[in-house]
Amino acid sequence: MKTYLLTGAAVAALSIGAASAQDLSGQVITVAGPWLSPESETIAKIFDIFEEKTGAEVKYVGSDSFEQQIVIDAEAGSAPNVAVFPQPGLAADMASRGFLTPLKPEVGEWVKENYAAGQSWVDLATFADKEGADHHYGMFFRADLKSLVWYSPETFEDGGYTVPTTMEELKALTEEITANGETPWCIGLGSGAATGWPATDWVEDLMLRTQSPADYDAWVANDLKFNDPKVVAAIEDFGWFARNDAYVAGGAGAVATTDFRDSPKGLFDSPPQCYMHRQASFIPAFFPEGTEMGVDADFFYFPAYAEKDLGKPVLGAGTLFAITNESEGAHALIEFLEDPAAHELWMAEGGFLTPHKGVDTSKFSSDTARAMNDILLNATTFRFDGSDLMPGGVGAGSFWTGMVDYTGGKDAQAVADEIQSSWDALK
């Protein structure tokens, strides 16, 4: 067994560097995260690779109350070695309380060089410690993509429409479809108690297409006030699509009341109720049964303005690994995530996107996943879902309700003023 482990380590040293080739025999690394079955089985297989290469043992515990449990464990001094955070807000909070350990400097340098839009991923995982000093704390592993527009290739072909590559072209296409007597968009904000959240994604995507990444970051941190003219302009840009009765199936009045899960179905009606639907990579789960991707439905990148010269920004989400109880094995496990094999295993299982530029994209389980990942790899800027980073009372509160009010006809400036007031009240 020992000989096997050392042989595996030697191979690893040749393929991925010395970090993951350490002999960690006898060490136990505990990991906690939000993944339950079937994701927990997949991450266990990935940890098996690490175990074979190092001799360490990884014990993973998933919980649907991870966000509460990790805080309890940290406060009690019994945190796992590594925690998998579903979004960086909680990780930032724990870093500020001294519960996270900075990663080795070479990890951040590796991410800058080997992840598409690498600086963005480092920035997203850089938080202030108890003294207010910034450190790189997290390694993102598994990304989600939100900047997508879904459509039916057949109806596009029948209408003589082509996929737009700039926001100017997307708006021109919207006007062209309307001029032809058709309805370009299906938009639905309904989501029970969470009604309004799909509009926050629209506004976030448009902030990244009208303002700099620095402005986006300042907005999320409220250093740029929510009622700043830059933010109001992004809201009104969303309104260009959503508040025009001719542009939306059912008229603007139906936007807030249409359930987001039902909203894309108009793409598949005959005749179609709409031609385009902006939504994240998960939405095919709500397409009609039997929908064949690439034939009945496809997607394109929600494009940037050519005139703004802001590159190809991408809005998304992702999980990050951070060290909550430092050990040699914890650092080695984080560095193991640089190994393409860790990504490729989950790529083959499905439901996994990665900004890692070194993976073999033939390993993706489908052409659809590969095409989505291409958007991620071509991103010049990546930013996390802003509402998930804002205080809950705003990001999961006044921002949601404000967007419902806005699509209902309320003035954008008035909506933004109210959201800022709610943020001020939380300080």
Side-chain angles (χ1 to χ4, degrees):
M1 185 68 174
K2 184 68 171 178
T3 301
Y4 171 79
L5 292 171
L6 290 175
T7 300
V11 172
L14 290 173
S15 61
I16 59 170
S20 58
Q22 292 172 266
D23 184 354
L24 301 173
S25 299
Q27 291 199 30
V28 176
I29 304 159
T30 53
V31 181
W35 291 321
L36 304 174
S37 181
E39 288 96 341
S40 58
E41 283 85 16
T42 302
I43 195 64
K45 294 176 186 175
I46 293 170
F47 291 153
D48 285 346
I49 301 173
F50 175 77
E51 291 177 340
E52 290 180 6
K53 289 181 173 177
T54 64
E57 180 183 1
V58 180
K59 292 185 176 179
Y60 172 77
V61 176
S63 170
D64 57 7
S65 58
F66 163 80
E67 289 89 343
Q68 294 77 35
Q69 191 61 49
I70 190 62
V71 174
I72 293 171
D73 290 345
E75 291 175 341
S78 57
N81 296 113
V82 174
V84 185
F85 292 89
Q87 48 98 341
L90 177 58
D93 181 62
M94 291 188 64
S96 71
R97 300 178 63 188
F99 292 143
L100 300 189
T101 299
L103 303 184
K104 294 178 180 177
E106 53 265 36
V107 175
E109 293 303 314
W110 183 92
V111 172
K112 289 179 188 176
E113 293 296 322
N114 292 280
Y115 271 18
Q119 185 65 56
S120 296
W121 294 100
V122 172
D123 293 344
L124 278 169
T126 298
F127 316 124
D129 65 12
K130 290 177 68 173
E131 286 71 40
D134 286 342
H135 301 283
H136 178 225
Y137 283 102
M139 176 81 162
F140 276 91
F141 182 76
R142 194 189 189 193
D144 296 313
L145 189 59
K146 291 175 177 271
S147 304
L148 300 174
V149 178
W150 298 87
Y151 71 105
S152 163
E154 181 179 354
T155 56
F156 255 50
E157 182 178 354
D158 290 346
Y161 305 126
T162 57
V163 169
T165 59
T166 67
M167 184 60 74
E168 289 88 345
E169 290 179 3
L170 180 61
K171 288 189 169 181
L173 176 60
T174 298
E175 293 169 339
E176 180 185 359
I177 293 172
T178 306
N180 290 339
E182 305 289 349
T183 305
W185 291 94
C186 279
I187 303 174
L189 308 187
S191 185
T195 291
W197 70 260
T200 67
D201 284 358
W202 270 90
V203 172
E204 290 155 6
D205 247 341
L206 289 165
M207 271 294 288
L208 288 172
R209 284 152 182 76
T210 55
Q211 308 300 331
S212 69
D215 281 334
Y216 183 92
D217 295 340
W219 170 52
V220 170
N222 206 217
D223 294 331
L224 179 71
K225 300 303 181 186
F226 211 109
N227 52 356
D228 186 277
K230 294 179 179 178
V231 183
V232 173
I235 295 172
E236 291 177 334
D237 214 11
F238 164 60
W240 188 91
F241 294 94
R243 297 215 324 183
N244 188 323
D245 286 335
Y247 289 176
V248 187
V255 169
T257 57
T258 300
D259 192 284
F260 83 94
R261 288 154 287 213
D262 296 330
S263 184
K265 294 175 181 174
L267 293 170
F268 308 102
D269 287 343
S270 181
Q273 291 186 37
C274 62
Y275 282 78
M276 295 178 285
H277 179 69
R278 187 220 155 277
Q279 190 50 275
S281 52
F282 69 82
I283 200 63
F286 301 102
F287 288 172
E289 187 176 353
T291 299
E292 185 176 353
M293 293 303 305
V295 177
D296 303 316
D298 209 339
F299 60 86
F300 59 84
Y301 169 66
F302 187 58
Y305 283 100
E307 67 172 10
K308 300 287 186 182
D309 196 25
L310 290 169
K312 290 186 175 180
V314 166
L315 181 72
T319 47
L320 80 159
F321 282 59
I323 296 174
T324 41
N325 187 355
E326 188 177 20
S327 71
E328 181 185 22
H331 281 287
L333 183 61
I334 295 288
E335 292 165 32
F336 164 69
L337 300 178
E338 299 172 3
D339 187 341
H343 300 247
E344 290 166 355
L345 189 149
W346 207 330
M347 287 161 54
E349 298 268 337
F352 183 89
L353 300 178
T354 176
H356 194 321
K357 294 186 289 187
V359 299
D360 178 357
T361 56
S362 71
K363 300 289 180 64
F364 276 110
S365 60
S366 68
D367 291 339
T368 298
R370 189 176 303 106
M372 285 184 188
N373 209 73
D374 283 345
I375 292 174
L376 202 58
L377 293 178
N378 288 324
T380 56
T381 299
F382 181 90
R383 284 296 182 272
F384 208 90
D385 184 318
S387 60
D388 284 350
L389 303 178
M390 297 173 183
V394 177
S398 57
F399 195 1
W400 290 353
T401 56
M403 291 301 95
V404 172
D405 292 342
Y406 176 66
T407 55
K410 198 166 185 175
D411 178 70
Q413 184 66 59
V415 168
D417 288 342
E418 290 179 0
I419 297 173
Q420 182 56 47
S421 295
S422 74
W423 204 326
D424 291 338
L426 295 172
K427 295 179 179 176

